[in-house]
Amino acid sequence: MAETETETPLLLLETAVDGVVDFKGRPVRRSTSGGWRAAAFIISVEVAERFAYYGITSNLINYLTGPLGQSTVTAAENVNIWSGTASLLPLLGAFLADSFLGRYRTIILASLLYILGLSLLTLSAILPVTSQSILFFFSLYLVALAQGGHKPCVQAFGADQFDTNDPEERKARSSFFNWWYFTFTAGVLVSVSILNYVQDNVSWVLGFGIPCIAMLVALALFSLGTWIYRFSIPREDKGPFFRIGGVFIVALKNWRTTPSAIASDEESRGTLPHKASEQFSFLNKALIASDGSKEEGKVCSVSEVEEVKAVLRLVPIWATSLIYAIVFAQSSTFFTKQGVTLDRKIVPGFDVPPASLQSFISLSIVIFVPVYDRIIVPIARAFTAFVEMKRLKVAREHGLIDMPNVTIPMSIWWLIPQYVLFGVADVFTMVGLQEFFYDQVPDELRSVGLALYLSIFGVGSFLSSFLISIIQKETGKDGSDSWFASNLNRAHLDYFYAVLAALSAVEMSAFWFFSKSYIYKRRSS
């Protein structure tokens, strides 16, 4: 009997997962926690959140130019500013999650805030036009704030359910990023296929109300998985942001430290020079004080310095992805307005909602998830310019240049290839960026890593808005029609798309240069 009693704790110890606990702080067993079973609950809330988010953003330009009566260029700028804000706020949400609240609590709070924002958005659609604008934009940015807490934490929390020290779970985690993108894209596909139709043909109240109900159901499902989730055990020393800031401060204080002193210190520790240690070598001054002291507070550890270098190495990759984000911003703005001008009839009495063509992006992602490349991106940009040239040619041939409200006798299906190419490009770019930014940041900053990935699209949206403003100003001088005239038949979106294609080609060259010299984070054994 005594022998059985001693074997039971040993069995539990052998099957426990290192570095994680359950929601009550107890050790967890591999067989009863985490893995795909836990990830399924987490993915469900992400699917609902993307369903809600794209239910708003995919058709937002039509709401702004329709019920709110804004011009096309003003509406496009407002969409870009809101999308940019929504994509930058995850940096704040990730900071709060990684430093104070934890990912689970942040997801719960963000979901509740999401539901409140969607409820107010639905209410704003009921009010008269004169009083709905203020409540509409307030609730819209409340949704952006909620998304900021939700987006970086859900994916990081899902990836946390896989133990990288276990070969099978490490392999499963790599697949997680692909199938994560696959499943939430299914939510987007349903959103832009069904919600856009409801918004255009039934009512905006119902079109905003359905996502609110979806988020309520998703929050309930997410909560059901609490008992099998794995929660990372936080380090007891300084927080990650304090450590990173501390390295810069100590390196500045020790600016007199010579390279020879650092080399001698490495030799005394028996460490060999490595490419990673030679990169950003100015930070190595944080390893030893100018007077040779290693007193606490005057120097930082090697792991702390390498932690900062890992973050800095991400900057060129982040920066060379911004042009892609600018192009990405057009799918929910000018692409949609192009569709409004074309023949959208499928059968008598049924017209395709122009925003629903974004479903072909999602459909392409579902089909091409296993594929990886970046070459399609500039090809996709060039194709959009050719289609717009064709649309303008048809408008001229039929004398419709000055008739912006008359449908051009050209099928809306001409736009499908550019949406499909967008979907393929998304698979090639986004899945890789997600896994890259999650994997290459320090372990405690994985929510921040995913927030950095999202911030690419935030900054890209702002740059898109800035680029549109500059082009609008320069091409609309002296009362002439700008490239973005509200009458798209007199606009020149084809020129704009050609510019984006050229910028994409330049970006790809820069990305190739920096990716060749990138030094990957060394894994701890």
Side-chain angles (χ1 to χ4, degrees):
M1 185 64 125
E3 185 179 358
T4 303
E5 289 177 351
T6 57
E7 283 178 357
T8 303
L10 286 173
L11 178 63
L12 289 172
L13 184 63
E14 287 171 358
T15 56
V17 183
D18 291 335
V20 293
V21 293
D22 67 6
F23 75 105
K24 289 187 176 179
R26 300 171 301 194
V28 296
R29 299 182 65 178
R30 192 178 306 280
S31 60
T32 57
S33 70
W36 283 112
R37 178 174 45 186
F41 286 101
I42 300 169
I43 287 174
S44 69
V45 75
E46 173 68 6
V47 170
E49 188 273 334
R50 291 291 87 183
F51 174 81
Y53 180 80
Y54 279 95
I56 297 170
T57 190
S58 63
N59 212 16
L60 182 56
I61 192 166
N62 281 338
Y63 187 80
L64 295 176
T65 56
L68 293 189
Q70 295 184 348
S71 68
T72 298
V73 70
T74 300
E77 287 176 357
N78 278 329
V79 171
N80 283 328
I81 291 170
W82 178 73
S83 298
T85 303
S87 297
L88 285 176
L89 281 172
L91 291 170
L92 173 63
F95 170 75
L96 293 174
D98 286 348
S99 299
F100 303 105
L101 297 175
R103 288 163 194 157
Y104 177 82
R105 291 190 188 93
T106 305
I107 293 168
I108 295 291
L109 291 173
S111 297
L112 292 171
L113 197 60
Y114 226 123
I115 292 166
L116 175 61
L118 290 170
S119 300
L120 293 175
L121 198 65
T122 306
L123 177 62
S124 74
I126 301 173
L127 298 175
V129 176
T130 52
S131 55
Q132 73 176 171
S133 184
I134 294 175
L135 181 59
F136 173 78
F137 279 104
F138 172 77
S139 53
L140 194 65
Y141 278 89
L142 193 61
V143 168
L145 179 62
Q147 197 252 185
H150 195 281
K151 187 63 181 160
C153 297
V154 175
Q155 191 172 9
F157 191 56
D160 288 346
Q161 304 308 307
F162 300 93
D163 179 18
T164 55
N165 294 318
D166 179 79
E168 288 300 316
E169 290 200 22
R170 183 168 60 248
K171 182 180 177 181
R173 197 195 76 175
S174 182
S175 297
F176 167 79
F177 288 96
N178 290 329
W179 295 110
W180 170 274
Y181 203 62
F182 179 94
T183 51
F184 97 60
T185 298
V188 176
L189 179 61
V190 173
S191 179
V192 298
S193 300
I194 298 176
L195 277 184
N196 292 163
Y197 179 81
V198 170
Q199 291 165 351
D200 286 350
N201 298 281
V202 182
S203 77
W204 286 97
V205 175
L206 189 60
F208 290 148
I210 292 173
C212 184
I213 296 170
M215 281 301 298
L216 277 167
V217 174
L219 179 58
L221 284 174
F222 177 75
S223 301
L224 286 175
T226 301
W227 285 266
I228 61 172
Y229 293 149
R230 295 174 183 173
F231 296 81
S232 299
I233 302 173
R235 286 170 55 170
E236 295 182 358
D237 58 357
K238 296 177 291 184
F241 289 97
F242 290 104
R243 291 199 304 272
I244 290 172
V247 169
F248 283 105
I249 292 170
V250 173
L252 286 172
K253 287 181 177 177
N254 298 341
W255 65 274
R256 290 190 179 90
T257 301
T258 61
S260 59
I262 296 170
S264 299
D265 180 63
E266 285 183 339
E267 188 178 342
S268 66
R269 284 188 277 108
T271 57
L272 295 173
H274 186 271
K275 281 187 177 180
S277 64
E278 295 170 2
Q279 199 172 34
F280 305 116
S281 57
F282 66 93
L283 290 175
N284 293 344
K285 295 178 183 293
L287 295 171
I288 183 170
S290 54
D291 59 0
S293 170
K294 292 189 178 182
E295 186 180 329
E296 186 176 355
K298 288 187 175 182
V299 296
C300 299
S301 66
V302 173
S303 62
E304 288 173 339
V305 171
E306 290 303 314
E307 194 174 53
V308 176
K309 290 183 179 183
V311 174
L312 289 179
R313 287 186 199 109
L314 296 175
V315 174
I317 305 300
W318 180 91
T320 52
S321 300
L322 289 176
I323 301 299
Y324 176 81
I326 293 175
V327 178
F328 178 81
Q330 312 314 316
S331 63
S332 60
T333 54
F334 293 123
F335 279 23
T336 301
K337 295 306 292 183
Q338 277 180 287
V340 171
T341 70
L342 300 179
D343 181 9
R344 297 181 279 124
K345 193 182 299 297
I346 296 182
V347 295
F350 180 78
D351 290 350
V352 177
S356 291
L357 288 191
Q358 292 174 59
S359 63
F360 283 93
I361 296 178
S362 305
L363 190 60
S364 302
I365 290 170
V366 169
I367 295 171
F368 287 98
V369 155
V371 188
Y372 260 94
D373 203 307
R374 291 177 65 93
I375 228 67
I376 291 292
V377 179
I379 297 175
R381 302 300 76 77
F383 192 89
T384 60
F386 296 144
V387 172
E388 179 60 11
M389 289 176 188
K390 168 72 174 176
R391 192 191 69 82
L392 292 174
K393 181 182 178 184
V394 173
R396 284 193 298 269
E397 289 174 350
H398 289 80
L400 300 176
I401 291 294
D402 294 312
M403 300 179 185
N405 295 323
V406 176
T407 299
I408 295 173
M410 174 179 169
S411 175
I412 196 171
W413 302 117
W414 274 90
L415 296 179
I416 290 177
Q418 64 196 57
Y419 282 103
V420 171
L421 288 171
F422 252 66
V424 176
D426 282 358
V427 172
F428 296 160
T429 306
M430 290 191 180
V431 176
L433 284 175
Q434 287 174 7
E435 185 170 3
F436 178 79
F437 277 91
Y438 176 87
D439 189 61
Q440 292 300 303
V441 295
D443 291 352
E444 287 183 87
L445 290 177
R446 282 174 168 167
S447 294
V448 173
L450 289 172
L452 285 171
Y453 146 73
L454 291 168
S455 72
I456 291 171
F457 298 93
V459 174
S461 292
F462 283 117
L463 290 175
S464 174
S465 181
F466 175 74
L467 187 60
I468 290 170
S469 297
I470 294 296
I471 294 175
Q472 169 78 3
K473 182 179 178 181
E474 291 301 316
T475 61
K477 288 179 178 179
D478 303 322
S480 58
D481 292 312
S482 76
W483 289 7
F484 310 113
S486 292
N487 178 359
L488 287 190
N489 297 336
R490 287 200 168 276
H492 275 292
L493 291 184
D494 51 341
Y495 295 172
F496 179 57
Y497 294 153
V499 168
L500 294 182
L503 289 174
S504 295
V506 172
E507 178 211 36
M508 190 177 70
S509 300
F511 176 84
W512 179 257
F513 173 79
F514 287 111
S515 63
K516 284 176 64 179
S517 59
Y518 184 82
I519 300 172
Y520 284 86
K521 185 177 77 172
R522 284 181 287 179
R523 298 188 181 276
S524 55
S525 56

